[in-house]
Amino acid sequence: MRSSPSAHPDLAALLDTVRAAASTGSAPRKSFRIHGSGSHDFYGEALEGELLETRGLSCIVQYEPSELVITVGAGTLLCDLEKTLAAQGQCLAFEPPVFAADRTHSQATVGGMVASGLSGPARASVGAVRDFVLGLKFINGRGEHLTFGGQVMKNVAGYDVSRLLAGSWGTLGLITEVSLKVLPVAPAEAHLMCRLPQAQALALLHRWGGQPLPLNASCWVQDNSMPGQPEMLFVRLRGAHAAVEAAKVRMSQDLAALNSELLVQASESATQDWIACADQRLPFFTQAAASPDAALWRLSVPQTAPVLNLPASTSAPFIEWHGAQRWVWAPLSEAEALRKAAAAVGGQATLFRRPQQASAALPVSVPVFTPLDAVHQRIQHALKQEFDPAGLFGPRRLNAHF
């Protein structure tokens, strides 16, 4: 399937709008907020600027199933892209979240997926969004429509700007088109669970991570919805049939040594649970969110980090990515303690969702992101100056000061 977004009137209009703003000789200049569906508007320091709608850039430019690559316009619905890939037995292996109750009809766009850089349960095993971006086109703050990368890995040389845009949250430019590496759907899959306390679960995941097992995703949670609030470890295996079956035997033996039993979940229900995990629709995310003063914190730590020394007022963590991503509910007053706990093991704590009772503008004393050191602050500022010197895109989305 082929189309041509470069000739699309919406692209021409977007270019004209940005160029007009960039050519303004003096302040105040316009600023812009790139908008596809608004599915990620809850994230970041502030939402400012005139809306630049990208939904018009919706098309499949080129799809070569045999080459495992697809190029699409940034306004293409993510659900449409996933349906197109599924028809060919392929998928986006990093499982991008859409934060919607009905994923198959979500309005989330491909541009938002790349700009947010967020990945789902399989991220620790297959890689992040940026690892699958082969190339892209985007409009920078000078009104230039630039192309970086290509459709094969060998085209990526020098500064990998296309992957730099992944996770930039629309602060460096407006993505108009992206080429993505896709993968075949795994031939076999198994969903397993067992009861284990957090320390044992982390130790076991670390051990399994050093073995040739088809460990695709994992999560540990204290299940408050069940009697006794059991501590549960859930694991998903993906790969060749023989590898999956052999892994089940090996993992059962390891758990038996810990006096725990490996249970097999029903495939259909477990599949829906993992989708709900990616989109934060599991009870951990929905029940705790009912507390008006609780904020959802994302702790990014080394995969081998031990149990964290968290404040007593925080919830038991929800642990993903074999230990590398840990979610907790805690009030804003615990920001410093959470960041110290994450920093103690070489990680960071990010305010992912604000409390219900908090205003849209957070107190300056509680920044969304862990403050950068002088070196990283200088790099971030230099990148902003290079790509968007006039500060047209996403002012104060990632940094309250620019």
Side-chain angles (χ1 to χ4, degrees):
M1 288 173 282
R2 297 171 184 268
S3 182
S4 178
S6 60
H8 200 287
D10 281 14
L11 177 57
L14 288 170
L15 277 166
D16 288 343
T17 300
V18 176
R19 285 169 179 166
S23 65
T24 301
S26 59
R29 298 194 188 198
K30 279 187 177 181
S31 62
F32 300 107
R33 174 158 65 95
I34 301 168
H35 186 267
S37 69
S39 59
H40 296 79
D41 281 357
F42 64 87
Y43 187 85
E45 292 284 359
L47 294 174
E48 297 182 10
E50 176 184 315
L51 290 184
L52 281 183
E53 296 285 353
T54 65
R55 291 287 294 277
L57 305 177
S58 177
C59 59
I60 295 178
V61 181
Q62 187 172 358
Y63 180 27
E64 299 292 348
S66 62
E67 299 295 330
L68 299 177
V69 61
I70 189 167
T71 302
V72 297
T76 305
L77 294 183
L78 182 56
C79 62
D80 290 342
L81 171 59
E82 291 181 326
K83 290 173 186 175
T84 299
L85 296 175
Q88 298 293 329
Q90 297 177 350
C91 66
L92 298 173
F94 50 89
E95 302 177 308
V98 299
F99 306 113
D102 184 0
R103 188 180 183 90
T104 59
H105 295 90
S106 164
Q107 298 300 297
T109 62
V110 173
M113 174 194 77
V114 175
S116 71
L118 298 177
S119 304
R123 187 261 183 261
S125 301
V126 303
V129 178
R130 69 179 69 248
D131 299 311
F132 290 81
V133 175
L134 299 176
L136 55 74
K137 295 181 180 180
F138 78 105
I139 302 171
N140 68 5
R142 297 181 176 88
E144 301 167 328
H145 195 205
L146 305 177
T147 301
F148 290 94
Q151 293 186 328
V152 293
M153 290 299 295
K154 67 181 181 181
N155 282 353
V156 180
Y159 293 106
D160 197 350
V161 175
S162 57
R163 294 183 180 181
L164 176 65
L165 269 289
S168 64
W169 290 91
T171 61
L172 299 180
L174 189 159
I175 299 170
T176 61
E177 182 180 300
V178 60
S179 294
L180 297 164
K181 178 175 67 175
V182 299
L183 292 180
V185 174
E189 184 175 273
H191 307 277
L192 314 172
M193 65 180 184
C194 62
R195 292 195 179 195
L196 276 182
Q198 184 183 164
Q200 285 189 339
L202 288 174
L204 198 57
L205 287 171
H206 301 162
R207 187 194 313 170
W208 286 342
Q211 299 173 2
L213 299 172
L215 186 61
N216 178 260
S218 66
C219 75
W220 180 92
V221 63
Q222 183 173 323
D223 195 341
N224 297 329
S225 65
M226 294 181 64
Q229 301 182 346
E231 298 174 310
M232 304 295 298
L233 174 64
F234 298 87
V235 172
R236 184 176 64 193
L237 304 177
R238 279 181 176 171
H241 289 276
V244 169
E245 292 304 315
K248 288 163 65 175
V249 173
R250 177 62 181 271
M251 295 165 73
S252 294
Q253 294 172 344
D254 289 342
L255 282 166
L258 297 174
N259 296 316
S260 183
E261 181 182 3
L262 187 67
L263 304 175
V264 179
Q265 293 179 277
S267 181
E268 184 175 347
S269 61
T271 296
Q272 293 306 311
D273 285 344
W274 285 108
I275 294 173
C277 177
D279 293 332
Q280 296 190 344
R281 291 186 287 105
L282 291 176
F284 172 86
F285 297 102
T286 57
Q287 291 176 4
S291 176
D293 64 344
L296 181 62
W297 295 85
R298 178 191 185 190
L299 278 57
S300 301
V301 299
Q303 192 167 307
T304 55
V307 176
L308 300 182
N309 183 23
L310 299 175
S313 59
T314 63
S315 67
F318 183 95
I319 301 176
E320 295 187 274
W321 299 359
H322 315 333
Q325 179 167 261
R326 308 185 188 187
W327 303 93
V328 296
W329 289 96
L332 296 180
S333 58
E334 296 291 5
E336 184 177 356
L338 288 172
R339 287 180 164 142
K340 284 183 177 179
V345 295
Q348 293 187 339
T350 300
L351 177 54
F352 198 76
R353 290 186 187 270
R354 296 170 173 83
Q356 291 182 13
Q357 67 180 18
S359 64
L362 288 171
V364 176
S365 59
V366 187
V368 170
F369 305 99
T370 297
L372 299 175
D373 59 35
V375 173
H376 288 95
Q377 183 72 26
R378 186 168 66 249
I379 292 172
Q380 185 184 73
H381 184 72
L383 286 171
K384 182 68 172 176
Q385 284 297 111
E386 180 62 32
F387 288 98
D388 183 22
L392 301 183
F393 293 113
R396 287 171 288 281
R397 182 74 186 268
L398 298 184
N399 190 312
H401 305 292
F402 67 84

